[in-house]
């Protein structure tokens, strides 16, 4: 095989995870140098371009669907094979997800901050000036005061992820819709667990079979287990699912006693997570107030 050939995986943190798995798989790594290309501006590392030689030797571009796309497209060889795959996310399990406006980046250890995932209900109560203990109590006990139409949300989500699939060679919307209640597919709204990531990578390799038929012999499950363990490359953080959301969607895997990991390595129960989120966010809001 031509050891100079490269396989570029372009996209967000999910694409980085795909590249990390492919680069460690013995079948893939024997045939390609797998290189990750970032599609977003990292708060510390920026975005950056790949060396031209890596792009000009690219045999396969695995490109996550993005409105901008791979910025070094003009350097790709004419015979480069491109396969487009979707980002994996699901708002159904975290219907109140939002960017936390009170999160603070702490580079280099926490370039995205400690609590980048916010909750609209909690943020609204912080903005109103409700005391932290009352915010947690409200969130835990007053579902009827802030609940939304989960069935309508389901319809909107399915329409969204199916529409995205139409722009990709790899189709994942059906997998997500059919399996999310049966098995935990996400740690957070945009961080898939090993089973879903494995399916995505397997489909990418099947799509690349015409370039190298032996790629389909890759054992993605074994590579994930060997190098990344049960948490996978994206399991450093997990976000609690609201019990009422779990009840509505009849999540078979949901465990109300589960613990949740945060970026700094700490673990929380369901209640402790929201106490920590409120305490952290409230403190940062207070710190920003003028003296």
């Amino acid at each position: 095989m031509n050891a100079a050939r490269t396989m570029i995986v372009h996209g967000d943190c999910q694409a980085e995870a795909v590249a990390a798995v492919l680069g460690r798989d013995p079948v893939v790594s024997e045939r390609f140098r797998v290189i990750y290309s970032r599609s977003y501006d990292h708060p510390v590392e920026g975005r950056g371009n790949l060396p031209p030689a890596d792009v000009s030797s690219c045999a396969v571009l695995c490109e996550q669907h993005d409105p901008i796309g791979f910025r070094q497209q003009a350097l790709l060889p004419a015979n480069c094979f491109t396969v487009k795959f979707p980002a994996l996310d699901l708002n159904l399990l975290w219907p109140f997800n939002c960017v936390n406006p009170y999160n603070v980046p702490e580079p280099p250890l926490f370039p995205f901050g400690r609590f980048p995932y916010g909750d609209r209900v909690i943020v609204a109560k912080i903005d109103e000036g409700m005391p932290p203990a009352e915010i947690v109590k409200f969130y835990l006990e007053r579902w009827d005061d802030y609940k939304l139409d989960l069935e309508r949300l389901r319809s909107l989500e399915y329409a969204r992820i199916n529409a995205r699939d139409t722009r990709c060679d790899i189709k994942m919307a059906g997998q997500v819709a059919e399996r999310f209640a049966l098995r935990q597919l996400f740690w957070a709204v945009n961080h898939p667990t090993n089973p879903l990531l494995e399916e995505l990578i397997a489909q990418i390799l099947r799509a690349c079979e015409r370039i190298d038929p032996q790629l389909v012999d890759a054992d993605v499950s074994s590579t994930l287990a060997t190098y990344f363990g049960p948490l996978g490359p994206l399991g450093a953080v997990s976000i609690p699912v609201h019990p009422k959301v779990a009840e509505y969607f009849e999540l078979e895997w949901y465990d109300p006693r589960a613990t949740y990991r945060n970026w700094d390595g700490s673990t929380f129960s369901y209640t402790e997570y929201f106490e920590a989120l409120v305490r952290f966010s409230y403190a940062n809001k207070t710190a920003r107030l003028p003296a």
Side-chain angles (χ1 to χ4, degrees):
M1 303 302 297
N2 183 358
R5 295 195 306 172
T6 60
M7 174 186 288
I8 296 173
V9 184
H10 177 75
D12 62 15
C13 58
Q14 294 177 24
E16 185 173 13
V18 169
V21 176
L22 291 175
R24 285 171 174 79
D25 185 89
V27 173
V28 179
S29 60
E30 283 181 3
R31 289 157 174 78
F32 296 91
R33 292 186 302 118
V34 181
I35 301 171
Y36 171 58
S37 167
R38 184 176 289 119
S39 66
Y40 66 97
D41 291 317
H42 190 279
V44 174
E45 301 171 5
R47 184 177 303 197
N49 288 329
L50 297 178
D54 286 340
V55 182
S56 63
S57 65
C58 182
V60 178
L61 171 64
C62 303
E63 183 181 10
Q64 188 183 61
H65 171 67
D66 182 281
I68 298 175
F70 183 56
R71 295 187 300 171
Q72 295 175 273
Q73 190 83 26
L75 298 178
L76 292 169
N79 62 347
C80 177
F81 177 73
T82 298
V83 56
K84 291 194 175 185
F85 63 95
L88 301 174
D89 55 26
L90 188 67
N91 292 310
L92 281 185
L93 302 182
W94 297 276
F96 307 111
N97 177 69
C98 67
V99 174
N100 183 5
Y102 302 116
N103 181 55
V104 179
E106 300 176 35
L109 291 180
F110 308 111
F112 299 101
R114 296 174 189 258
F115 286 93
Y117 294 98
D119 184 291
R120 290 196 301 274
V121 176
I122 288 174
V123 169
K125 293 304 174 184
I126 291 174
D127 289 343
E128 291 173 12
M130 181 181 283
E134 292 183 25
I135 294 175
V136 175
K137 183 177 176 63
F138 176 85
Y139 193 81
L140 296 178
E141 301 177 3
R142 302 276 293 277
W143 167 256
D144 287 339
D145 290 340
Y146 62 83
K147 67 182 179 180
L148 43 67
D149 186 339
L150 292 175
E151 196 55 39
R152 174 167 169 74
L153 178 62
R154 188 205 304 256
S155 298
L156 292 173
E157 272 295 276
Y158 286 0
R160 181 181 68 86
I161 61 178
N162 276 292
R164 182 169 56 197
D165 267 9
T166 64
R167 302 179 179 92
C168 300
D169 303 303
I170 306 300
K171 314 296 182 184
M172 293 295 295
Q175 288 279 341
V176 172
E178 293 167 11
R179 298 170 59 194
F180 83 91
L182 305 175
R183 191 170 187 181
Q184 186 174 8
L185 299 183
F186 293 92
W187 298 116
V189 65
N190 60 346
H191 280 188
T193 60
N194 277 359
L196 192 59
L197 193 61
E198 178 184 338
E199 176 61 28
L200 173 65
I201 296 171
Q203 285 203 39
I204 289 173
L205 292 176
R206 284 197 293 271
C208 295
E209 185 178 10
R210 69 176 70 178
I211 299 299
D212 188 331
Q214 289 184 283
L215 287 176
V216 296
D217 295 332
D219 190 340
V220 179
S221 177
S222 177
T223 300
L224 277 165
T226 300
Y227 292 99
F228 301 97
L231 298 183
L234 294 169
V237 62
S238 54
I239 308 300
V241 174
H242 197 294
K244 292 295 186 181
V245 173
E247 177 184 346
Y248 185 86
F249 291 119
E250 300 179 327
L251 304 183
E252 295 185 8
W253 50 268
Y254 182 76
D255 181 1
R257 300 164 300 178
T259 56
Y260 302 89
R261 293 167 301 281
N262 202 29
W263 297 102
D264 60 5
S266 54
T267 58
F268 304 105
S269 68
Y270 180 86
T271 299
E272 289 169 343
Y273 176 85
F274 289 105
E275 288 174 341
L277 170 62
V278 170
R279 186 167 57 248
F280 173 87
S281 302
Y282 209 95
N284 284 335
K285 176 194 177 184
T286 302
R288 294 180 190 178
L289 294 175

